[in-house]
Amino acid sequence: MTTAEFLKTITEAHGVSGYEHNVRDIVVQEFSALCDEVRVDPMGSVWGVKRGTVGGRRIMLAGHMDEIGLIVKKLDKHVIRFTQVGGFDVRVLPGQPVWVHGRQSMPGVIGMRPPHVMPAAERDKVIPMEDLFIDVGLTAEELAQQIRVGDTITLRRGYVELKNGLVASKAMDDRAAVASLLECLQVLQGLKHNWDVYAVATVQEEVGLRGAMTSAYGVAPDAAIAVDVTFARTPELPETGTVEADKGPGIARGPNLHPVMYDRLVETAKRYEMPYQPEPVPGASGTDAWAIQVSRQGVPTALLGLPLRYMHTPVETLSLRDVERCGRLMAYFIADLDDTILDSFRPALPEGE
Amino acid sequence: MKDTLRKLCEAYGPSGNEGQVRDLIRSEIEGLADSVRVDALGNLIAVKGSGGHRVMLAAHMDEIGVIITHIDENGFLRFAPVGGVWTLGLSGRRVAFADGTIGAIGLEKLDDRDRVPAMAKFYIDIGASKKDEVHLKVGDMAVMTRPFVTNGGRWIGKAMDNRAGCAVLIETMRRLKAPKHEVAFVFTTQEEVGLRGATTSAFGLDPEIAVAVDVTGTGDTPKAAPMAVSLGEGAAIKVRDGGMLAHLGVKDLLVQRAEENGIAYQLEVLEGGTTDGRAIQTSRAGVPTGVVSVPTRYIHSPSEMIDERDAEACASLLVVLLENDITL
Amino acid sequence: MMDIGFLKTLSEARGVSGNEGEVRDHLARTLRGVVDELITDTIGNLIAVRRGTGESPLRVMVAAHMDEVGLMITAADANGYLRFQPVGGIDARVLPAKRVLVGKDAVPGIIGVKPVHLTEPSERRNVLKVDQLYIDIGAKSKDEALGIAPLGEFATFDTPFQYLQGASIEGDEPRGRISGKCFDDRAGCFILHNLLQKQYPFDLYGVFTVQEEVGLRGARVAAFGIDPDLAFVLEGTVCDDSPKEDDVSPTTTLGLGAAISIADASVIADRRLVDLLIETATEEGIPYQIKQPMVGGTDAGAIHLQREGIPSVPVAVPSRYLHSPESVIDLLDLQHTIRLVGAALERLPAVWGSRGGVA
């Protein structure tokens, strides 16, 4: 599978946080072709291990494979009341097509009361999640046989190609990062690298970086790169805190990221003439990097950002080229890695007075 | 279970001050475990059985409370919450300190009676008329006080959260004849302030599978938030709450065991709140973790209500879990 | 006697979370030859190990954080003005019309503000948000500004250390108050630096941590690595002792001595360690106060949750105007805190039994 085909396949697969098994199966299969060993850890994250020529040192790459979604809270006659797993803007939900994953997956729509019967003043108000519901077209009796409390719900919106290499789908956040990991593994097939590479498709990022936390503990890497989506500029967004789509991955800088990892990634991008965008992050990055950095005795961690428009909607849009650039950047960075970087991770101290 | 729970509910044990509850549980489980110890954060760990998997069961001993933050010149005590104390209904409540001192919670004159006042407007009155008469100190903690009562099979008390869970664990230990696994029954500390005891005890025990036992809300009261859990409908097997998604394998196994053994259960999707399960699940490289909940009305009030049958079902479910093979 | 000149050095050193190098270097330079081992870890903590006499097998961690709250450059506009975001908790109300130093080269800058003459009365009632503020370093273009201060560069308040009226360190007892930036937590670093001058019955791990202000990040990994039996955390803490009509807690009061925490938002302190501190203070005649419970958080919040649990207690010097460009502490509080923790460490082996402290 090419990176583009892989991206289409995994974004269209369904895997709300904690229920990533369908996505996992695809990732395991595709990683297996490129890795020496593929493992699934106790939380369900996938580790693709590609051994280095020297070995012993480990770099962990992390992209999360869960997506935000909904979950059945209660059956209410012939409709489903739901709550969310991860954070949607509730304003995007009315009228969305969905899949409800019950005894079998079935299509449904997010319904609301018709505006015609509501007082005019009500139409200016956001409909709270409690007042929305999902209709799969079954009667109450049929529904009770098919759907249980706790079944998950994902958005029913597939992959579409826009102009100039932009693509849109649900779950680009963060399956696009998993695709960049695959791209990295593909490029590494043709490169020599000393360190062992642990490409980890993590679970449960959207509910608290929970897969990265446990995978990082398990892998115990010497360094790590997390890949997540980042805010691409659109007309309503300011320059501060955003980057541009199709101008290369963001490389994050701030307390969450190790300065040597940042510097080396920038050097790599410059050496191979790859576009990148520096991204200041003053505190918590809100990504797997935040969890990985403080695993065990600390892990020097970098964060690459895939510029993404319309985050946490079913029409998340990014540049396929950025995904490929991100994968290549990691591959070249890894190929250049040797143990000298380890000394530079610990700040040198001055002599005494 | 009722007599045990009565004693547990009426004991004093705000987060970080679980000593009285711990002593009580120690005496209740005397002779039921192969070994019992207390760790650095005060968790009580009782291990029973060997072979099979290393299983951790956790129920927290602590309850919400208040802590004195200031003693004013007239002998009134200002306080901060320890855990999730709601201001609604605080006025007129009684609180008890570790030494048994009882205080009444008073409220300053309100400017607007229709709005819930801020915590800073409340104070504790222990009957002192000046600062010098107060024998308590800044930093002392108190809990709500209220006797345990029963209305048939409905049991009402303060600190059902989570002495009900502790009682379920104790009952499980009593009934468990032949565990197929090495089971650590952990009575944890400081859950209400951030799952702290579970965090460190899980690291220490390094379990292969875990089940937390705690209370959960219900949707069966007038105009309750929609939730498909009701009092008396059985043990609640958690799917998700505000802090965790239960491990699918553990959740499914609990459902399977309940169905095989005719134990009443209900699936639980809770919007807010979380349990020790959240902390245990992400210990070290990850621990497959589920949660069995006792459905409870009026959580974090002094009148938390449970149904006897639900608590019994929770214990039954844990016993069959532990007396059978575990494959996820 | 306390070397207040070194406290001045520490306070004026610049170390926003993630950029603590300057502070770390000052500490390392002066601790070489004093301690037995001086190491850094990958996140940037400085770990100073003072081997004990061997009388006690305990492994004791004492932590103070090197980082301070500050600013990070996040964009520059076409005219060379720099946009920024806070690093750590800064109340936006302290920012307008302050002087800052930008980047490693400490380029002077001004947080600009519109002349009062040109503001509407209604405007003056609204707090200026961080998004509305900018730093003027005198640059004329975006390229010039970003050449001097690239995206992600840090900035600190530009605050010289100052002895306030009547402050003196002559004689045995210091007197009076000082002002400066970030006594949270350079005061703690200073205390730890003092404590490391002595040998104890046990191995003392003095840990100067990084990134406390963005989430207790350095202390967490240090504690995991060191795995101590227990920990003391030294802080500059909240003080709210300005005159008030209501009879409410001042959190701490300047001049009343070392502030012991029973519980804050991040940790319920180990009661045995609290009692050890109170007993020590009482018996040695060292002034102390109990900090208002549940206010603020410290590195103890991260340390006590590592591995199987590490009993911890925070002890602090009261500091007015925390997280602002100008904070104020009392020199005697500083000395009392050094004496209290020093004496408690001496007494520790007599009261702390086996691992976990469980007798």
Side-chain angles (χ1 to χ4, degrees):
Chain A
M1 239 186 247
T2 65
T3 299
E5 289 162 350
F6 180 71
L7 182 59
K8 179 177 189 316
T9 311
I10 51 169
T11 52
E12 291 185 347
H14 298 282
V16 174
S17 310
Y19 296 76
E20 298 88 353
H21 40 272
N22 292 329
V23 185
R24 178 159 58 235
D25 291 346
I26 302 165
V27 174
V28 165
Q29 189 184 336
E30 294 303 312
F31 276 16
S32 295
L34 301 169
C35 294
D36 299 302
E37 186 190 344
V38 174
R39 262 190 266 174
V40 176
D41 74 12
M43 288 285 280
S45 299
V46 178
W47 306 4
V49 187
K50 187 174 183 313
R51 304 263 172 235
T53 45
V54 176
R57 298 290 172 198
R58 299 170 174 193
I59 180 158
M60 172 174 168
L61 312 176
H64 68 90
M65 59 179 171
D66 60 319
E67 69 186 290
I68 57 172
L70 307 171
I71 191 164
V72 177
K73 191 161 74 170
K74 191 179 180 178
L75 303 183
D76 187 359
K77 302 201 170 69
H78 66 282
V79 304
I80 295 165
R81 301 283 176 187
F82 58 89
T83 183
Q84 57 183 345
V85 177
F88 280 106
D89 182 338
V90 70
R91 293 174 303 177
V92 309
L93 293 179
Q96 286 289 357
V98 295
W99 285 109
V100 181
H101 305 285
R103 272 180 205 282
Q104 56 195 26
S105 292
M106 59 186 77
V109 296
I110 299 183
M112 55 188 266
R113 295 189 59 201
H116 318 72
V117 301
M118 309 292 277
E122 284 288 309
R123 280 183 238 170
D124 291 336
K125 291 184 187 151
V126 173
I127 308 168
M129 194 159 327
E130 279 189 22
D131 290 351
L132 295 171
F133 51 83
I134 290 167
D135 188 345
V136 292
L138 298 178
T139 63
E141 293 71 30
E142 290 166 338
L143 192 68
Q145 283 168 7
Q146 294 288 333
I147 307 291
R148 301 192 76 177
V149 170
D151 287 345
T152 61
I153 300 151
T154 51
L155 296 166
R156 183 155 53 93
R157 264 292 163 239
Y159 187 86
V160 61
E161 292 179 16
L162 308 178
K163 297 286 182 205
N164 295 314
L166 296 189
V167 289
S169 174
K170 75 163 181 73
M172 285 292 185
D173 173 6
D174 192 30
R175 309 265 166 79
V178 181
S180 78
L181 262 51
L182 187 89
E183 173 79 16
C184 172
L185 291 169
Q186 276 164 348
V187 175
L188 282 175
Q189 305 298 313
L191 297 172
K192 180 171 167 290
H193 56 99
N194 289 344
W195 286 27
D196 293 340
V197 179
Y198 284 69
V200 182
T202 62
V203 296
Q204 300 198 24
E205 191 271 354
E206 297 288 358
V207 291
L209 321 177
R210 297 170 66 72
M213 195 184 299
T214 46
S215 297
Y217 190 95
V219 173
D222 297 284
I225 302 174
V227 185
D228 210 327
V229 294
T230 186
F231 301 105
R233 210 164 297 148
T234 41
E236 75 284 11
L237 292 179
E239 198 173 325
T240 295
T242 58
V243 291
E244 287 190 59
D246 204 27
K247 295 218 168 149
I251 306 180
R253 183 181 179 201
N256 185 190
L257 298 322
H258 199 287
V260 171
M261 291 291 284
Y262 172 83
D263 290 343
R264 291 282 289 263
L265 278 162
V266 168
E267 277 168 33
T268 306
K270 285 182 174 161
R271 190 177 318 137
Y272 295 97
E273 298 181 348
M274 302 171 72
Y276 74 94
Q277 308 180 71
E279 268 204 280
V281 180
S285 64
T287 69
D288 281 346
W290 187 246
I292 296 167
Q293 185 191 25
V294 292
S295 183
R296 294 183 184 247
Q297 296 188 54
V299 179
T301 302
L303 173 62
L304 297 177
L306 299 168
L308 181 83
R309 299 175 184 165
Y310 326 119
M311 199 181 292
H312 282 201
T313 72
V315 289
E316 295 181 327
T317 302
L318 51 61
S319 153
L320 194 52
R321 271 190 299 272
D322 283 343
V323 176
E324 290 162 353
R325 286 164 178 152
C326 181
R328 282 208 305 280
L329 177 59
M330 287 190 283
Y332 292 131
F333 172 86
I334 290 166
D336 288 345
L337 268 182
D338 60 44
D339 287 3
T340 57
I341 199 171
L342 295 174
D343 300 326
S344 65
F345 283 152
R346 293 168 194 274
L349 293 175
E351 290 304 309
E353 281 176 332
Chain B
M1 189 156 20
K2 183 161 72 181
D3 293 337
T4 302
L5 187 52
R6 179 192 304 277
K7 282 185 268 183
L8 286 170
C9 280
E10 293 182 351
Y12 165 94
S15 308
N17 289 274
E18 299 87 352
Q20 294 183 20
V21 181
R22 186 167 53 229
D23 291 347
L24 181 58
I25 294 175
R26 258 191 127 128
S27 68
E28 291 287 322
I29 62 171
E30 182 85 50
L32 294 177
D34 303 335
S35 72
V36 177
R37 67 178 193 275
V38 177
D39 73 8
L41 252 63
N43 298 296
L44 176 67
I45 301 168
V47 181
K48 181 170 180 165
S50 61
H53 292 289
R54 286 192 313 281
V55 181
M56 173 174 177
L57 298 187
H60 67 90
M61 298 186 284
D62 63 316
E63 66 190 294
I64 57 168
V66 295
I67 184 167
I68 303 178
T69 56
H70 181 61
I71 301 171
D72 77 15
E73 290 303 324
N74 297 319
F76 295 103
L77 318 176
R78 297 288 171 164
F79 59 88
V82 177
V85 175
W86 298 6
T87 45
L88 193 67
L90 266 188
S91 182
R93 267 188 199 160
R94 289 178 199 173
V95 294
F97 289 87
D99 66 355
T101 302
I102 300 290
I105 295 185
L107 175 59
E108 295 173 7
K109 185 175 86 60
L110 290 181
D111 299 327
D112 180 355
R113 288 190 157 272
D114 293 331
R115 295 180 66 178
V116 178
M119 191 74 70
K121 295 252 178 212
F122 295 90
Y123 53 85
I124 297 170
D125 183 349
I126 57 163
S129 35
K130 56 184 197 293
K131 193 172 187 172
D132 297 350
E133 291 177 12
V134 180
H135 66 287
L136 300 163
K137 293 190 171 62
V138 167
D140 286 353
M141 289 187 191
V143 297
M144 294 178 280
T145 175
R146 207 60 84 84
F148 175 96
V149 296
T150 60
N151 283 342
R154 297 281 160 98
W155 299 347
I156 305 167
K158 67 130 178 114
M160 276 304 171
D161 174 7
N162 186 29
R163 306 291 157 67
C166 294
V168 167
L169 248 56
I170 294 168
E171 182 66 16
T172 304
M173 291 178 78
R174 287 185 183 137
R175 291 202 218 157
L176 191 62
K177 296 292 174 263
K180 276 198 165 180
H181 309 277
E182 181 185 319
V183 188
F185 294 84
V186 186
F187 300 89
T188 65
T189 57
Q190 302 192 31
E191 191 268 358
E192 297 288 0
V193 291
L195 325 176
R196 294 178 187 163
T199 301
T200 56
S201 55
F203 187 95
L205 289 164
D206 193 13
E208 291 164 282
I209 173 178
V211 177
V213 182
D214 207 329
V215 298
T216 190
T218 67
D220 61 351
T221 51
K223 296 230 169 180
M227 183 178 181
V229 171
S230 303
L231 227 55
E233 298 288 316
I237 297 173
K238 192 184 295 286
V239 177
R240 65 90 82 172
D241 61 27
M244 82 179 291
L245 295 143
H247 186 274
L248 266 183
V250 177
K251 183 204 85 177
D252 289 345
L253 181 65
L254 287 166
V255 168
Q256 185 193 333
R257 292 285 178 256
E259 289 185 348
E260 285 166 354
N261 294 277
I263 298 166
Y265 77 97
Q266 39 194 337
L267 289 168
E268 171 203 344
V269 171
L270 177 69
E271 293 253 17
T274 196
T275 74
D276 278 341
R278 171 179 166 82
I280 299 165
Q281 187 179 38
T282 50
S283 185
R284 295 186 188 244
V287 180
T289 303
V291 181
V292 172
S293 311
V294 183
T296 305
R297 291 180 185 161
Y298 324 120
I299 291 177
H300 285 198
S301 85
S303 302
E304 296 173 328
M305 182 190 292
I306 68 166
D307 188 296
E308 173 182 12
R309 289 168 298 172
D310 295 337
E312 293 286 345
C314 290
S316 304
L317 181 55
L318 293 174
V319 171
V320 295
L321 176 78
L322 299 170
E323 288 185 342
N324 288 285
D325 290 334
I326 294 176
T327 39
L328 299 179
Chain C
M1 203 179 68
M2 299 190 297
D3 174 11
I4 296 300
F6 188 59
L7 180 59
K8 170 177 158 58
T9 303
L10 288 176
S11 169
E12 292 181 352
R14 298 166 56 250
V16 177
S17 311
N19 290 278
E20 299 86 351
E22 195 177 321
V23 184
R24 184 170 50 230
D25 288 354
H26 283 303
L27 289 164
R29 234 177 257 127
T30 49
L31 286 170
R32 275 218 194 280
V34 175
V35 297
D36 298 290
E37 276 177 64
L38 207 51
I39 45 181
T40 56
D41 63 12
T42 63
I43 204 168
N45 294 309
L46 174 65
I47 301 167
V49 189
R50 180 89 200 230
R51 296 279 166 222
T53 57
E55 292 160 65
S56 163
L58 289 176
R59 189 201 299 251
V60 178
M61 173 168 168
V62 183
H65 69 90
M66 296 187 286
D67 63 317
E68 66 189 282
V69 296
L71 310 174
M72 177 183 276
I73 306 304
T74 54
D77 70 17
N79 298 317
Y81 296 103
L82 298 166
R83 298 284 173 172
F84 61 87
Q85 286 293 317
V87 177
I90 293 186
D91 184 334
R93 292 173 299 182
V94 307
L95 292 173
K98 296 301 185 304
R99 275 173 51 181
V100 296
L101 295 170
V102 181
K104 289 182 194 64
D105 299 332
V107 176
I110 304 296
I111 300 181
V113 62
K114 188 168 155 184
V116 64
H117 324 68
L118 305 180
T119 55
E120 299 290 334
S122 61
E123 222 179 315
R124 293 199 292 271
R125 283 196 294 272
N126 293 330
V127 174
L128 283 165
K129 295 197 179 104
V130 173
D131 295 347
Q132 295 170 284
L133 300 171
Y134 51 83
I135 296 171
D136 182 352
I137 54 171
K140 289 180 177 166
S141 70
K142 182 170 186 168
D143 285 350
E144 187 189 0
L146 290 179
I148 294 163
L151 296 185
E153 194 62 89
F154 69 91
T156 57
F157 294 122
D158 176 8
T159 308
F161 179 91
Q162 178 72 48
Y163 283 97
L164 298 181
Q165 191 62 32
S168 151
I169 50 166
E170 305 298 317
D172 289 342
E173 292 268 287
R175 272 189 293 123
R177 279 122 194 222
I178 53 176
S179 70
K181 73 171 170 69
C182 68
F183 292 129
D184 170 14
D185 188 28
R186 303 297 154 71
C189 293
F190 178 76
I191 295 167
L192 178 51
H193 189 271
N194 270 265
L195 293 171
L196 283 164
Q197 307 300 317
K198 266 184 62 185
Q199 190 184 30
Y200 299 87
F202 42 77
D203 292 348
L204 183 72
Y205 287 75
V207 185
F208 299 92
T209 66
V210 295
Q211 300 197 26
E212 192 268 355
E213 299 289 0
V214 293
L216 323 179
R217 317 253 312 150
R220 172 183 163 139
V221 297
F224 186 95
I226 294 166
D227 192 16
D229 291 288
L230 58 107
F232 291 82
V233 173
L234 306 173
E235 266 287 1
T237 198
V238 181
C239 169
D240 178 29
D241 63 354
S242 59
K244 285 183 273 307
E245 272 186 27
D246 292 345
D247 187 351
V248 295
S249 171
T251 305
T252 63
T253 304
L254 221 61
L256 289 191
I260 300 168
S261 268
I262 289 177
D264 64 31
S266 69
V267 66
I268 293 173
D270 188 274
R271 191 68 216 189
R272 297 159 295 187
L273 295 176
V274 170
D275 290 343
L276 167 67
L277 286 164
I278 292 174
E279 273 167 35
T280 304
T282 308
E283 287 168 23
E284 309 259 342
I286 304 168
Y288 78 96
Q289 52 191 316
I290 299 295
K291 184 189 162 188
Q292 180 188 15
M294 297 307 186
V295 174
T298 66
D299 273 343
I303 295 167
H304 85 290
L305 294 179
Q306 294 311 299
R307 295 191 181 256
E308 294 179 60
I310 298 166
S312 305
V313 64
V315 193
V317 177
S319 172
R320 290 176 180 161
Y321 327 120
L322 214 68
H323 290 202
S324 89
E326 300 274 354
S327 51
V328 172
I329 62 170
D330 186 298
L331 289 172
L332 211 48
D333 286 341
L334 192 65
Q335 189 176 64
H336 289 145
T337 310
I338 296 171
R339 278 183 58 206
L340 174 58
V341 180
L345 288 172
E346 292 291 345
R347 290 162 171 247
L348 188 59
V351 299
W352 201 268
S354 63
R355 200 170 166 79
V358 185

